[in-house]
Amino acid sequence: MPTTNPVYVIGLAPGSLQLPPRARDALARADLVAGGKRLLAACPDDLIPKGAERLPITGHLAPVLETIRKAASKGRVVVVLCDGDPLFFGIGKRLAEELGSENLIVEPNLSTVQLASARLGLAWQEMDFVSLHGRDDFSPLYAALVRADLIAVFTDAENTPAEVARALLERGAECFSMTVLEDLGTLQERIRPLALPETWGMDFSDLNLVILERLYPPEIELTLGIPDHFYLHQKNLITKLPVRATGLALLNVEPESTIWDLGAGCGSVSIEASHLARRGRVFAVERHKTRAAMIRENIRRTGAWLVDVVLGTMPDCLKGLPRPDRVFIGGGLGGPSNEDTALLEIACERLKPRGRMVIHCILLDTLHTAKDHFQALGWHFGVTQLQASATDSLAGDLRFKAQNPVFILWAEKP
């Protein structure tokens, strides 16, 4: 929405909160100055006209943005103070969305990440950036652990450096080192390389940044088509590679998909699905404790940190999970029993519209149960029958050894 006057968005230097030179002229003409309480307090009174209004940015942004919009539309000079670079995890993006980027004049400053990289002597052009501000899950962090060797983590009062370390340890991601940088750009500046367990019970300044650096790669490269014998599994209970590849193709996983793998076994489908859902979430649901432990070990071996292991009995353990875009059922669906029908009903109900479900069926009863259910719902579905044969040594030569035939049923929710 066009405004009479542009809105000045000014970044203050991290820590010292010094103003960029060109910001002084805008402040000298300001009618309204908005910013966090710490930034407003740091702005010298003699730079702002006596009649200028100060607007603290606290809580919800919507009322603040509306006040800024109205002031600018009336021809008032509005200045918004930010920390560092306003367009790097700052309010600048939201202002551009609400007011239009053509109505902003942005004066960036040195960002916290730039300052931290300089202190540590790290090139940051390939660094990944994660903000945990206001989040109740660490999925962006886990996704970054998979794809990046160097990660900057913005914390908050709840998601502290100690919580970041706990999250890594719970996933078995000891292959990352941690450095906590506190109060950068101030006289109290402190930089501490810390062992992950060492952070338990430690206090940190509210102004901190965490840098994670990979020390060594995973034992097994995370990709599609990992050989079956690379996975720790129980009594040959694993979705074989040819069937796994076909099932994942029919599942049509997208980068931001949320995936349920029900009856996950050793987790091979979940782990390779996480390679495709690199910005999504993957839940490997398994009721056997031993198999759940195997999934966690396979996650550690492959570095598939995005996968969440859910230990519990279905369908009860599915209640707290976010609604899926994709559901894979490779185990846990037997035949036409009440329990199996209940699981299928709940999975279909929770699946998002236009979501996909893939079921691997070895038993004919399982195939008929699932097929009849999708028919009754009026869903578009199809079945592929797959029987693969793999080479096996025999008498100094090779023969083809047939694997069990599998019916791969896929369905799409309207």
Side-chain angles (χ1 to χ4, degrees):
M1 179 182 294
T3 59
T4 304
N5 275 347
V7 173
Y8 294 87
V9 187
I10 297 171
L12 279 64
S16 68
L17 300 182
Q18 292 180 343
L19 291 163
R22 291 177 60 183
R24 294 176 176 270
D25 177 61
L27 277 171
R29 297 182 291 109
D31 299 303
L32 173 65
V33 181
K37 291 181 178 179
R38 183 173 60 91
L39 304 182
L40 290 174
C43 197
D45 290 333
D46 59 352
L47 288 182
I48 303 175
K50 290 184 179 180
E53 178 187 354
R54 292 177 181 242
L55 176 64
I57 299 177
T58 57
H60 296 294
L61 273 178
V64 174
L65 295 171
E66 185 59 25
T67 301
I68 291 172
R69 185 202 307 277
K70 287 180 179 178
S73 65
K74 292 177 181 177
R76 302 177 72 193
V77 177
V78 179
V79 175
V80 180
L81 301 177
C82 309
D83 199 348
D85 186 344
L87 293 170
F88 187 78
F89 289 105
I91 197 176
K93 178 183 177 182
R94 184 72 183 276
L95 285 168
E97 291 170 349
E98 294 290 329
L99 306 177
S101 56
E102 69 278 7
N103 296 310
L104 303 182
I105 295 177
V106 180
E107 289 291 341
N109 215 312
L110 189 70
S111 72
T112 306
V113 167
Q114 286 176 286
L115 191 56
S117 298
R119 294 289 190 268
L120 299 176
L122 296 172
W124 59 281
Q125 68 268 18
E126 295 180 1
M127 185 182 286
D128 226 5
F129 312 103
V130 175
S131 175
L132 299 178
H133 285 179
R135 293 195 66 94
D136 58 3
D137 70 88
F138 279 14
S139 53
L141 174 62
Y142 298 141
L145 294 176
V146 176
R147 63 179 178 253
D149 294 330
L150 198 59
I151 307 164
V153 185
F154 293 87
T155 65
D156 65 13
E158 298 296 326
N159 300 315
T160 63
E163 286 299 301
V164 172
R166 181 194 57 77
L168 266 64
L169 288 168
E170 281 187 354
R171 279 293 202 272
E174 294 97 344
C175 56
F176 283 88
S177 68
M178 170 184 277
T179 303
V180 181
L181 302 99
E182 302 168 86
D183 297 312
L184 283 173
T186 72
L187 295 175
Q188 293 78 38
E189 179 175 302
R190 181 162 59 167
I191 300 172
R192 290 188 282 177
L194 296 169
L196 297 179
E198 189 182 352
T199 61
W200 293 348
M202 290 184 69
D203 292 323
F204 298 91
S205 166
D206 291 340
L207 299 176
N208 72 74
L209 181 74
V210 172
I211 301 292
L212 302 174
E213 189 170 6
R214 191 187 298 274
L215 300 175
Y216 51 87
E219 296 172 24
I220 301 168
E221 183 180 1
L222 179 59
T223 184
L224 297 178
I226 296 173
D228 295 346
H229 64 274
F230 282 17
Y231 288 104
L232 181 65
H233 58 279
Q234 183 183 46
K235 297 179 182 178
N236 210 30
L237 292 175
I238 182 172
T239 303
K240 304 295 192 298
L241 194 157
V243 182
R244 184 165 71 242
T246 305
L248 284 169
L250 291 172
L251 203 58
N252 193 25
V253 176
E254 297 180 348
E256 299 192 9
S257 293
T258 295
I259 302 165
W260 288 2
D261 177 8
L262 306 182
C266 71
S268 60
V269 172
S270 293
I271 285 168
E272 295 187 24
S274 75
H275 178 64
L276 300 170
R278 57 187 179 274
R279 294 191 300 273
R281 301 191 71 181
V282 181
F283 296 91
V285 183
E286 179 53 58
R287 65 188 178 93
H288 292 280
K289 291 182 179 180
T290 301
R291 293 176 198 163
M294 289 178 175
I295 297 172
R296 293 189 181 94
E297 173 60 15
N298 288 326
I299 289 170
R300 187 198 65 78
R301 290 180 178 185
T302 58
W305 315 118
L306 195 62
V307 179
D308 281 285
V309 181
V310 179
L311 175 63
T313 303
M314 297 182 289
D316 293 342
C317 67
L318 305 177
K319 292 178 182 177
L321 301 185
R323 292 185 66 187
D325 304 286
R326 304 289 186 266
V327 174
F328 175 80
I329 304 179
L333 189 64
S337 68
N338 291 335
E339 292 82 0
D340 295 321
T341 304
L343 172 60
L344 191 54
E345 286 177 353
I346 288 174
C348 289
E349 179 186 339
R350 295 286 305 280
L351 183 65
K352 293 179 184 177
R354 301 186 69 182
R356 275 215 166 200
M357 185 178 297
V358 169
I359 304 175
H360 284 185
C361 311
I362 296 176
L363 302 176
L364 285 175
D365 276 351
T366 307
L367 174 63
H368 287 301
T369 298
K371 178 183 71 68
D372 292 347
H373 190 79
F374 293 134
Q375 249 175 346
L377 291 174
W379 289 19
H380 181 51
F381 68 92
V383 182
T384 297
Q385 194 269 338
L386 181 67
Q387 182 171 18
S389 297
T391 54
D392 188 32
S393 298
L394 179 67
D397 202 347
L398 296 175
R399 65 160 182 150
F400 281 101
K401 184 177 181 180
Q403 298 175 351
N404 287 332
V406 179
F407 297 99
I408 304 175
L409 191 156
W410 61 268
E412 189 172 274
K413 187 171 183 175

